[in-house]
Amino acid sequence: MNKEIETKKEGRVLTKKDIWRAMRRHYLAISTYNYDSGFAATLVWELFPALSKIYQDDPDGLQASIDNQFKFYNCNPWMSPIITGATLAIEEKGKTKSLQAVQDLKTALMGPFSGIGDTLIWVLFPTVLGAIAASMGKHGNSVGMWIYLAVYILFFFLRSFLYNVGYDSGTALMTNMSDKLSALTDAVSVLGIAVIGAIVPSTINFQLALKFSQAGVTLTGQHILDQLMPGLLPVLLTALLYWMLKKGRKMTTLILMVIVIAMVGAALGILKA
Amino acid sequence: MGFTIWQIILITVIAYIQRLDFETAQIIPANYMFWSCVVGAILGDFQMGLVVGATIQLMSLGVAALGGSSTPDYAVAAIISTAVAIGTGKGMAAGLALGVPVGMICIQLDVLLKILNSFITNKAHELADRRQYRKMRLLIPVMTALMPLESAVPVFIAVLFGKTVVTSILNFMPAWFTVGLNVAGGMLPAVGMAMLLTYMPLKKYGYWLLVGFALTAYLKMPILGVALIGAAGAIPTFMNYAKTNSNNNSVTNANGLTQEDMEDE
């Protein structure tokens, strides 16, 4: 391994320290997000020390390079370090001649990598861990919440190495890696879908409050539904909302709609918690 | 509410740190229960924080701010709900009555601050063009410092004036409203689940929904158990996918070019 690093060092100005510095600075992340340039400002801030070292005696090059980094960039912040790490490696070698390549790589990879990061970090893990933590927490047990916390702290440390992964592998391994990651995403989706199937009947929780009296026998509407299939109402509601989302309705509309249905249902005595 | 000045300051600081973490390192990004537990601990009732947090966590399942979109601020909802529930002594329903609406209002603040970011970024770009890099480097983190205010300010106001607002709401609140709020709390996870399903490869693996559903609805299996069975199902999927994809892996690059054309002005 040492040999590999030695050969790589030729023609390079950045040290390991510089890479770690850029890595630390990338934690500005999405705090600079805006609608016309994404979080390009974060890239400028995180790469500035490294870039000014690369363009030590070329002020025009430095300016052109920073101008380039100010172009629209939006990526899942967990996956972004791989991309910026790789662009840094390219720019270090090619200087101003590589600016177009840097920009191309950024725009080509930010979509696929965001997809992977969003699905894993923002959707699947919070759902699985959150569902476990919340179902325990409802009964006053905090263990699930601590597990959730511990897993993400572990992820945070792993994430710090992604910068080096990107820088060391450059462009060559990028496509290969994005394949492996989508295999992982696909596999974890199976886990996620199974958990969603379990969450629907166990945590979506509302009942029919209607009662029918016939020939002295009182039947509750919920009892009848339960005999048809447990968790029928949650399934129907989820299916309805899914269909509306597919039709292009906004999430906030759905939230408001659900609140209104709940209020009206409760006021008319049809629904209860 | 019987909060001391220090408790109010501490809760506001917690709200600021929470959002700062969300915008930067994302170590505790969607773990709303953690934040409500912290607030609960500050106010001397960890257990109430846990239960309120669990309710909010369920509401939020599956709702994620992807691609720079704005979602209800569930962390703010969790923090305020916990503070009000403990402070008024009237329990979770009173907390949710204030916390959830304020969390929804935070969407507007989020949009506003992102527009402000736009101005600051353009200013930084101008400074870079004039090669005033020092100023540019000082200006960019200003955005990082400002963004968390979108959580801290609503929390501060809610905790400071919460008691008068909540007691007047509670006095007006008819019985059906409280019931309705509880029903809504039970129904809202469905929004997240529906949202989540739209991201999932349902055509390929939709049948796993049946597995999870049957295990829980009929066999009453805890979610952790379902997750373990799902993990067992994930392993062969990973193996198969890796095998089939090693043969034909030139697809990923195709959509990159069109995107670049759109974004490059």
Side-chain angles (χ1 to χ4, degrees), chain B residues 190-264:
Chain B
V191 179
M193 288 308 108
M195 192 81 187
L196 205 51
L197 287 174
T198 58
Y199 300 125
M200 293 292 170
L202 278 194
K203 280 196 185 126
K204 258 167 141 182
Y205 304 119
Y207 57 91
W208 279 96
L209 277 176
L210 298 178
V211 176
F213 181 82
L215 287 174
T216 315
Y218 289 99
L219 300 178
K220 311 284 173 222
M221 185 183 276
I223 289 174
L224 188 56
V226 179
L228 289 176
I229 291 178
I235 293 166
T237 313
F238 181 75
M239 308 262 200
N240 288 343
Y241 192 101
K243 231 181 261 165
T244 48
N245 248 52
S246 55
N247 301 328
N248 51 339
N249 54 11
S250 57
V251 203
T252 13
N253 266 344
N255 62 356
L257 283 172
T258 47
Q259 241 181 7
E260 170 204 337
D261 292 340
M262 274 159 55
E263 250 105 51
D264 233 346

Side-chain angles (χ1 to χ4, degrees), chain A residues 71-89:
Chain A
K71 283 181 188 156
F72 183 92
Y73 179 76
N74 187 22
C75 183
N76 177 288
W78 288 69
M79 288 292 143
S80 175
I82 303 184
I83 301 176
T84 37
T87 60
L88 205 53

Side-chain angles (χ1 to χ4, degrees), chain A residues 78 121 125-126 129 148-156, chain B residues 26-27 29:
Chain A
W78 288 69
I121 298 297
F125 291 124
L129 292 168
Y148 192 161
L149 185 67
V151 169
Y152 265 70
I153 289 176
L154 179 72
F155 283 171
F156 173 74
Chain B
Q26 297 186 337
I27 304 172

Side-chain angles (χ1 to χ4, degrees), chain A residues 79-158:
Chain A
M79 288 292 143
S80 175
I82 303 184
I83 301 176
T84 37
T87 60
L88 205 53
I90 296 169
E91 198 155 346
E92 183 184 23
K93 264 190 219 145
K95 306 267 169 74
T96 42
K97 275 174 279 172
S98 68
L99 287 185
Q100 191 55 42
V102 165
Q103 180 60 15
D104 287 350
L105 187 75
K106 269 162 59 186
T107 42
L109 290 182
M110 68 187 185
F113 272 74
S114 290
I116 293 157
D118 285 349
T119 326
L120 290 180
I121 298 297
W122 274 115
V123 178
L124 277 169
F125 291 124
T127 308
V128 176
L129 292 168
I132 293 167
S135 60
M136 283 178 162
K138 275 239 154 182
H139 301 112
N141 186 346
S142 63
V143 172
M145 183 270 285
W146 295 117
I147 293 175
Y148 192 161
L149 185 67
V151 169
Y152 265 70
I153 289 176
L154 179 72
F155 283 171
F156 173 74
F157 283 112
L158 293 179

Side-chain angles (χ1 to χ4, degrees), chain A residues 4 6-7 24 35 38 47 51 56 75 94 128 130 151 165 193 199 201 204 215 217 222 225 232 238 245 248 259 261:
Chain A
E4 203 178 81
E6 288 292 315
T7 48
R24 280 201 311 274
Y35 296 110
L47 296 175
L51 289 180
Q56 249 161 355
C75 183
V128 176
V151 169
V165 171
I193 291 172
I199 290 173
I204 301 173
V217 186
Q222 187 59 41
L225 286 183
L232 184 61
T238 312
L245 281 172
I259 292 176
I261 292 176

Side-chain angles (χ1 to χ4, degrees), chain B:
Chain B
M1 283 171 271
F3 296 146
T4 62
I5 186 82
W6 284 109
Q7 283 173 331
I8 294 176
I9 292 172
L10 261 176
I11 293 172
T12 309
V13 170
I14 292 293
Y16 186 91
I17 293 174
Q18 177 276 128
R19 193 68 193 182
L20 186 66
D21 174 66
F22 175 89
E23 300 285 350
T24 56
Q26 297 186 337
I27 304 172
I28 317 172
N31 191 347
Y32 311 116
M33 290 174 75
F34 174 79
W35 299 109
S36 65
C37 284
V38 170
V39 172
I42 290 173
L43 299 176
D45 192 346
F46 180 88
Q47 215 58 24
M48 177 64 93
L50 185 65
V51 176
V52 172
T55 307
I56 303 261
Q57 190 80 47
L58 286 179
M59 286 184 191
S60 77
L61 285 182
V63 177
L66 303 180
S69 62
S70 303
T71 50
D73 196 328
Y74 290 107
V76 163
I79 291 172
I80 294 176
S81 299
T82 307
V84 170
I86 297 170
T88 58
K90 295 202 168 153
M92 190 160 72
L96 295 180
L98 186 67
V100 173
V102 174
M104 297 280 285
I105 294 170
C106 285
I107 298 177
Q108 312 303 329
L109 270 174
D110 188 56
V111 172
L112 214 66
L113 277 162
K114 281 173 181 167
I115 292 171
L116 180 68
N117 271 356
S118 202
F119 284 107
I120 299 180
T121 302
N122 286 335
K123 182 80 190 149
H125 198 170
E126 275 172 33
L127 288 172
D129 284 343
R130 280 187 259 129
R131 298 192 186 178
Q132 292 173 320
Y133 298 126
R134 240 191 102 73
K135 275 189 189 165
M136 178 197 81
R137 292 173 65 185
L138 288 174
L139 186 61
I140 290 173
V142 168
M143 294 185 263
T144 313
L146 285 178
M147 276 307 266
L149 290 179
E150 80 169 76
S151 292
V153 170
V155 165
F156 177 73
I157 295 173
V159 175
L160 197 59
F161 301 110
K163 187 175 190 177
T164 28
V165 177
V166 171
T167 39
S168 56
I169 292 176
L170 287 179
N171 286 339
F172 277 121
M173 198 152 67
W176 60 262
F177 188 82
T178 337
V179 179
L181 211 61
N182 274 324
V183 176
M187 286 171 90
L188 279 175
V191 179
M193 288 308 108
M195 192 81 187
L196 205 51
L197 287 174
T198 58
Y199 300 125
M200 293 292 170
L202 278 194
K203 280 196 185 126
K204 258 167 141 182
Y205 304 119
Y207 57 91
W208 279 96
L209 277 176
L210 298 178
V211 176
F213 181 82
L215 287 174
T216 315
Y218 289 99
L219 300 178
K220 311 284 173 222
M221 185 183 276
I223 289 174
L224 188 56
V226 179
L228 289 176
I229 291 178
I235 293 166
T237 313
F238 181 75
M239 308 262 200
N240 288 343
Y241 192 101
K243 231 181 261 165
T244 48
N245 248 52
S246 55
N247 301 328
N248 51 339
N249 54 11
S250 57
V251 203
T252 13
N253 266 344
N255 62 356
L257 283 172
T258 47
Q259 241 181 7
E260 170 204 337
D261 292 340
M262 274 159 55
E263 250 105 51
D264 233 346
E265 290 166 341

